[in-house]
Amino acid sequence: MEDMLFYDRMQFAFTITFHYLFPQLTMGLSLMIVYFKWKFLRTQVESYNNAAKFWMKIFALNFAMGVVTGIPMEFQFGTNWAKFSELTGGIIGQTLAMEGMFSFFLESSFLGLFLFGEKLMGQKLHFLTGFLVFLGSWASGFLIIATHSWMQNPVGYEILENGKFVLNNFSALFGNPWLWPSYLHNQLASVVTSSFVVAGIGAFYLLNNKHSEYGKLFVKTGVVFGLVSSVLVAFPTGDWTAKNVVKHQPVTFAAMEGIFETEDGGSEIVLIGQPDMENKKLDNKIAVPNILSFLTYQKWDAQIKGLNEFDEENYPTNIPGLYYGYHIMVGLGTIFIALMILAGVLLWRKKLYKTKWVLWAIMFMLPFPYIANTTGWYTAELGRQPWLVYNLLRTSEGASPTVSSGNTLFTLLGFVGLYLLLGMLFLILVGKIIKKGPEIVKL
């Protein structure tokens, strides 16, 4: 049973990790495309219009990859997690169906019109189609996170005699206190990813003396969006999300921060350390006293419960993974803010485009928002374990009892091989678009 559960979780973890590489760019990029198109309507400067069409081509490839890699995850609800689907389908099925019917079709329909309908519709309607693509992508994220938030903090439900969950308060699903902080945090994190991608490609053009006009436009736009979104991801949305964890999942918060023992007189914030699960302590830690208490409760001496306060059977099942995932996310987020502040100051002083070492830093930083987003999701998912629905349905109770570990491992290896090929194809196609550049994009 343990092997089966392990491979079920590994398969879903792999497929969703690969899948989310694509939506995290499209959600943020859709906002920036709307910005480029809006600037074109206001200024009639053609470079803004070309930029919008250039990035929509990359958006379309990401969207297609997101669709292809998203479908297998839904099948896994019926294969690997049939019991979970049977018990909770009356609730999560509603939000997932809404995501498919409303958001996905809105996004895909108007994406085609944006790509191929500019001359037919005119510029104002073309802008409207871009805005509707943005609306669809952000609505899709909202409905997915509404599902995720219910699993983290179940509300508005009742449990029937047969053990099935049913929704008895539809508005509670969308008024979940876990939902809005998580949604805003996630969406702004996707803007961070798109900002670094746009700025990184712009820096690549400037460093190679190719498409310099667009290089400057992309760097400027990426830095402005990146500076604002990087700060907002940390505060207030990151702060709200962390306080939700403290309130609703205190054992998760203790594991995230590496608090093994409750501390009197205020809790320190650990900058660096390695969890020692055998001795229940952090090794080689570097910490700042009382800061965590102040950030959490705005009181220097506020007490934060340690893991010793909770039953071990309710501990997160992978405390080191949760701890490292959380600290990698926070550490990278801090670097993003610092780099974007530096780039923002240089941009304001009109020195950014000639400061090559900063352009190199922006370009090489391009993959790291993907890592930060991924570890952020790992933090949320590992933190909820050992529960599928927090405090109500354990992960071991939701797996399909008739699917063997061998079958799951075999299909997992198949996914790894197939996604490797898809990933290589995607990079080749995106590379060709970037190499051609915006100046010769014709739609």
Side-chain angles (χ1 to χ4, degrees):
M1 178 63 183
E2 289 185 3
D3 285 345
M4 180 187 71
L5 188 62
F6 172 78
Y7 289 124
D8 284 341
R9 292 182 62 194
M10 283 294 293
Q11 186 180 91
F12 199 84
F14 173 77
T15 54
I16 201 168
T17 298
F18 191 85
H19 165 74
Y20 194 63
L21 295 174
F22 306 103
Q24 69 170 282
L25 178 64
T26 57
M27 289 186 294
L29 193 56
S30 65
L31 176 62
M32 300 182 75
I33 290 169
V34 169
Y35 166 77
F36 283 131
K37 192 67 186 183
W38 172 75
K39 286 288 289 184
F40 169 68
L41 289 178
R42 287 198 62 187
T43 64
Q44 295 301 306
V45 175
E46 193 63 32
S47 58
Y48 286 113
N49 196 38
N50 288 338
K53 292 186 287 185
F54 170 79
W55 286 108
M56 189 59 91
K57 294 282 283 185
I58 293 177
F59 177 101
L61 280 174
N62 274 266
F63 179 78
M65 288 291 293
V67 172
V68 169
T69 57
I71 291 173
M73 293 192 310
E74 298 201 7
F75 281 113
Q76 286 177 65
F77 283 117
T79 55
N80 301 23
W81 303 100
K83 195 64 179 179
F84 169 67
S85 301
E86 178 188 351
L87 296 177
T88 66
I91 296 179
I92 68 170
Q94 298 190 47
T95 48
L96 293 177
M98 290 169 65
E99 190 271 338
M101 288 297 295
F102 303 135
S103 307
F104 171 73
F105 284 114
L106 177 67
E107 191 177 359
S108 57
S109 299
F110 288 100
L111 172 59
L113 289 173
F114 189 95
L115 287 172
F116 304 110
E118 181 183 11
K119 292 182 180 179
L120 180 65
M121 295 182 297
Q123 295 302 332
K124 290 184 178 179
L125 284 177
H126 193 237
F127 167 80
L128 179 61
T129 60
F131 178 80
L132 290 172
V133 170
F134 156 73
L135 186 65
S137 67
W138 280 54
S140 178
F142 179 79
L143 292 166
I144 293 296
I145 292 178
T147 308
H148 174 263
S149 297
W150 184 84
M151 295 168 65
Q152 296 280 5
N153 181 49
V155 294
Y157 69 93
E158 63 177 297
I159 303 176
L160 302 181
E161 291 183 2
N162 59 7
K164 292 185 178 181
F165 294 77
V166 294
L167 195 63
N168 61 11
N169 186 344
F170 189 77
S171 62
L173 194 62
F174 298 109
N176 191 338
W178 197 282
L179 171 57
W180 283 100
S182 298
Y183 175 66
L184 294 174
H185 187 62
N186 182 81
Q187 298 308 102
L188 287 165
S190 73
V191 177
V192 172
T193 297
S194 63
S195 299
F196 273 88
V197 169
V198 170
I201 298 305
F204 171 76
Y205 285 152
L206 290 177
L207 290 168
N208 284 277
N209 294 314
K210 294 175 61 177
H211 312 294
S212 296
E213 177 188 355
Y214 290 99
K216 292 177 181 179
L217 176 59
F218 294 165
V219 168
K220 178 181 178 180
T221 305
V223 167
V224 172
F225 274 82
L227 176 58
V228 173
S229 59
S230 296
V231 172
L232 292 178
V233 161
F235 185 85
T237 63
D239 182 58
W240 291 342
T241 303
K243 287 178 178 176
N244 253 341
V245 178
V246 174
K247 181 178 180 180
H248 299 287
Q249 299 180 7
V251 63
T252 299
F253 188 76
M256 284 165 48
E257 296 287 357
I259 306 172
F260 286 91
E261 300 284 340
T262 302
E263 301 171 3
D264 295 325
S267 293
E268 61 190 10
I269 189 167
V270 177
L271 305 179
I272 297 175
Q274 299 87 47
D276 178 354
M277 296 308 301
E278 183 177 348
N279 298 306
K280 292 183 170 56
K281 66 185 183 70
L282 286 177
D283 291 333
N284 307 312
K285 70 177 180 180
I286 299 176
V288 182
N290 299 90
I291 294 295
L292 186 60
S293 292
F294 180 78
L295 292 175
T296 306
Y297 294 109
Q298 287 71 59
K299 294 181 181 179
W300 294 103
D301 59 350
Q303 186 183 85
I304 297 177
K305 290 183 178 180
L307 287 168
N308 63 304
E309 302 275 352
F310 304 96
D311 192 334
E312 283 198 32
E313 70 175 10
N314 293 327
Y315 281 11
T317 51
N318 186 355
I319 291 176
L322 172 60
Y323 172 86
Y324 287 123
Y326 173 68
H327 281 79
I328 289 171
M329 176 191 69
V330 172
L332 287 176
T334 304
I335 294 172
F336 299 157
I337 293 172
L339 179 58
M340 283 301 174
I341 288 175
L342 173 62
V345 170
L346 291 172
L347 181 66
W348 177 65
R349 297 179 63 185
K350 303 185 186 302
K351 294 182 178 180
L352 178 58
Y353 305 139
K354 296 181 180 179
T355 309
K356 288 192 174 183
W357 72 269
V358 176
L359 294 177
W360 278 103
I362 291 172
M363 186 176 71
F364 279 113
M365 193 61 67
L366 190 152
F368 287 94
Y370 287 96
I371 297 172
N373 269 275
T374 300
T375 53
W377 270 106
Y378 280 11
T379 300
E381 295 304 299
L382 291 174
R384 193 184 66 244
Q385 297 299 320
W387 306 95
L388 282 174
V389 181
Y390 197 73
N391 274 340
L392 295 175
L393 180 66
R394 287 188 175 267
T395 304
S396 57
E397 299 169 340
S400 302
T402 58
V403 178
S404 70
S405 58
N407 287 338
T408 305
L409 176 59
F410 178 76
T411 53
L412 171 59
L413 294 175
F415 277 125
V416 171
L418 178 61
Y419 283 7
L420 178 62
L421 293 176
L422 284 174
M424 293 173 61
L425 177 62
F426 170 79
L427 291 175
I428 291 171
L429 293 174
V430 170
K432 287 185 175 181
I433 293 174
I434 293 171
K435 183 178 180 181
K436 290 182 179 179
E439 293 172 321
I440 57 174
V441 170
K442 296 180 181 179
L443 300 176

